[in-house]
């Protein structure tokens, strides 16, 4: 079978299209024909060995896949051959077939495409976990989303809105803010033109920001923290800016706020049943039209490097999907 993988940490240019032996499922596993692979910004970090976890090599981008069950391993009874499922697999997704544990998979409802399913597991799953399980978002609270036009940001905007939040999108251009507003954001802040702290405070008078969703880090962190409400929750999800900020802890004390780590991949491992329930909820919202994920572009397997270059170059609004069967 064909696979796009890298044998050394060298960035996107290290990716190669290669032929490898097709796998076979063991006990408790299923073999999937991979129809769609969702790519994320962290895939570009993994390629340069800049992510929190260093994978064993060779390795392939793509941690969320949608596909069709082809073979059931011993003891698997919850799925049938021919059933469509989506799974978070942690990586190695850009290939024509893959083996994963059956417990990782969730059925895809009729009416939800493979592209949509492969594009929601991580970004929307992270947002739901962040706001529901970690941030305790309540209806009517203000939510600021940093990097609101990217795949993770748009998902956060939509989930926060579904949960009853008043959503403020933060992005670097008016076009990106318009995109975030089209997906449900109530307000927008262009941090390239406005004082971020001042504008967030103005939009959340008299309390400040109740919940901050930060997958960017860098220079935006401290001014956002300074705009937090009393007993606000600052959700730390990642550092797409490439810079891990140094937070003045006196601000946390003065505001009585919380800084909450949201490490979704660890949550999936530690609380798999809650993760599966969250994923099923997100897929149902997709089926009901309450979530409308934006697919920026799709690519055949051999063009995986082009797809990742778009993400790395910050030229993506929404999700990029790879089709291994094309």
């Amino acid at each position: 079978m064909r696979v796009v993988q890298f044998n050394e940490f060298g960035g996107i240019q290290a990716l190669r299209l290669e032929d490898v032996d097709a796998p076979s499922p063991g006990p408790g596993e299923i073999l999937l024909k991979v129809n769609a692979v969702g790519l994320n910004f962290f895939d570009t970090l993994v390629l340069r060995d800049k992510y929190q976890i260093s994978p064993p090599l060779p390795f392939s981008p793509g941690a969320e896949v949608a596909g069709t069950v082809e073979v059931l391993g011993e003891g698997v009874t919850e799925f049938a051959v021919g059933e469509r499922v989506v799974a978070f697999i942690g990586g190695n997704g850009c290939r024509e077939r893959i083996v994963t544990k059956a417990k990782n998979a969730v059925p895809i409802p009729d009416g939800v495409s493979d592209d949509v399913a492969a594009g929601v597991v991580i970004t929307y799953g992270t947002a739901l976990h962040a706001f529901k399980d970690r941030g305790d978002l309540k209806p009517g609270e203000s939510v600021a989303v940093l990097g609101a036009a990217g795949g993770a940001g748009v998902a956060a905007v939509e989930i926060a809105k579904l949960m009853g939040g008043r959503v403020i999108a933060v992005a670097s251009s008016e076009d990106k803010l318009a995109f975030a507003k089209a997906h449900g954001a109530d307000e927008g802040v262009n941090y390239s033109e406005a004082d971020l702290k001042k504008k967030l405070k103005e939009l959340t008078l008299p309390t400040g920001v109740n919940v901050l969703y930060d997958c960017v880090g860098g220079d935006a962190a401290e001014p956002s923290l300074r705009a937090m409400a009393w007993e606000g929750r600052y959700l730390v999800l990642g550092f797409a800016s490439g810079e891990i900020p140094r937070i003045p802890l006196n601000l946390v004390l003065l505001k009585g706020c919380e800084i909450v780590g949201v490490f979704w991949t660890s949550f999936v491992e530690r609380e798999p049943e809650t993760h599966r329930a969250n994923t099923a909820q997100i897929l149902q919202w997709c089926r009901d039209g309450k979530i409308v994920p934006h697919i920026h572009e799709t690519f055949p397997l051999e063009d995986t490097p082009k797809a990742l270059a778009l993400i790395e170059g910050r030229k993506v609004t929404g999700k990029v999907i790879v089709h291994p069967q094309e």
Side-chain angles (χ1 to χ4, degrees):
M1 67 174 187
R2 297 183 308 153
V3 56
V4 169
Q5 61 186 8
F6 56 101
N7 293 280
E8 60 182 3
F9 295 109
I12 293 172
Q13 60 268 30
L15 288 169
R16 299 289 183 271
L17 179 65
E18 298 176 346
D19 288 311
V20 300
D21 293 336
S24 298
E29 296 178 334
I30 54 177
L31 174 67
L32 298 180
K33 181 179 79 171
V34 181
N35 299 324
V37 184
L39 297 181
N40 295 273
F41 183 81
F42 68 76
D43 287 311
T44 68
L45 300 178
V46 172
L47 279 161
R48 294 184 283 114
D49 200 19
K50 298 293 185 181
Y51 193 54
Q52 290 97 323
I53 300 170
S54 296
L57 301 182
F59 198 72
S60 178
E64 52 190 339
V65 300
T68 306
V69 178
E70 284 196 332
V71 182
L72 301 175
E74 180 184 345
V76 177
T77 59
E78 61 265 48
F79 296 111
V81 172
E83 187 171 1
R84 292 190 308 132
V85 300
V86 65
F88 171 68
I89 57 172
N92 269 335
C94 285
R95 57 190 62 222
E96 292 178 319
R97 282 166 177 79
I98 196 164
V99 165
T100 187
K101 295 177 182 178
K103 69 178 184 180
N104 292 340
V106 177
I108 301 174
D110 292 340
V112 177
S113 71
D114 290 333
D115 283 2
V116 165
V120 300
V121 176
I122 294 176
T123 53
Y124 286 84
T126 299
L128 183 57
H129 170 55
F131 290 129
K132 178 176 74 74
D133 305 321
R134 302 293 288 152
D136 191 27
L137 174 61
K138 301 175 181 65
E141 288 191 313
S142 61
V143 179
V145 178
L146 304 187
V154 168
V157 166
E158 291 194 61
I159 294 292
K161 194 64 180 174
L162 266 176
M163 293 178 66
R166 176 175 170 264
V167 182
I168 302 167
V170 179
S172 61
S173 72
E174 293 303 320
D175 287 346
K176 289 182 177 180
L177 290 179
F179 179 76
K181 288 179 180 178
H183 284 263
D186 299 287
E187 305 281 355
V189 178
N190 182 344
Y191 68 82
S192 67
E193 297 180 354
D195 182 309
L196 182 55
K197 178 191 74 172
K198 181 179 179 181
K199 192 63 178 177
L200 285 176
K201 282 189 171 185
E202 288 176 355
L203 291 173
T204 56
L205 287 172
T207 59
V209 177
N210 297 119
V211 181
L212 184 84
Y213 193 92
D214 184 6
C215 50
V216 177
D219 293 338
E222 184 173 333
S224 299
L225 177 60
R226 291 181 180 275
M228 293 294 292
W230 177 257
E231 295 188 344
R233 285 85 74 202
Y234 187 125
L235 305 180
V236 180
L237 292 104
F239 313 102
S241 68
E243 180 185 346
I244 298 175
R246 296 178 180 273
I247 297 295
L249 290 179
N250 64 306
L251 296 177
V252 180
L253 182 153
L254 292 171
K255 292 181 172 293
C257 66
E258 302 175 50
I259 296 180
V260 183
V262 184
F263 193 5
W264 181 80
T265 53
S266 184
F267 154 73
V268 170
E269 295 173 1
R270 294 169 183 268
E271 301 180 47
E273 292 307 315
T274 304
H275 157 63
R276 286 172 58 86
N278 285 356
T279 302
Q281 174 66 81
I282 290 164
L283 292 171
Q284 188 60 49
W285 278 334
C286 290
R287 183 180 182 182
D288 295 342
K290 294 180 179 179
I291 291 177
V292 185
H294 176 69
I295 307 299
H296 180 90
E297 194 170 351
T298 63
F299 292 84
L301 183 64
E302 61 268 24
D303 286 343
T304 299
K306 294 181 182 178
L308 287 167
L310 279 182
I311 295 173
E312 191 170 58
R314 307 287 204 277
K315 297 177 181 177
V316 170
T317 53
K319 201 72 178 185
V320 172
I321 301 293
V322 168
H323 291 160
Q325 303 304 322
E326 290 185 0

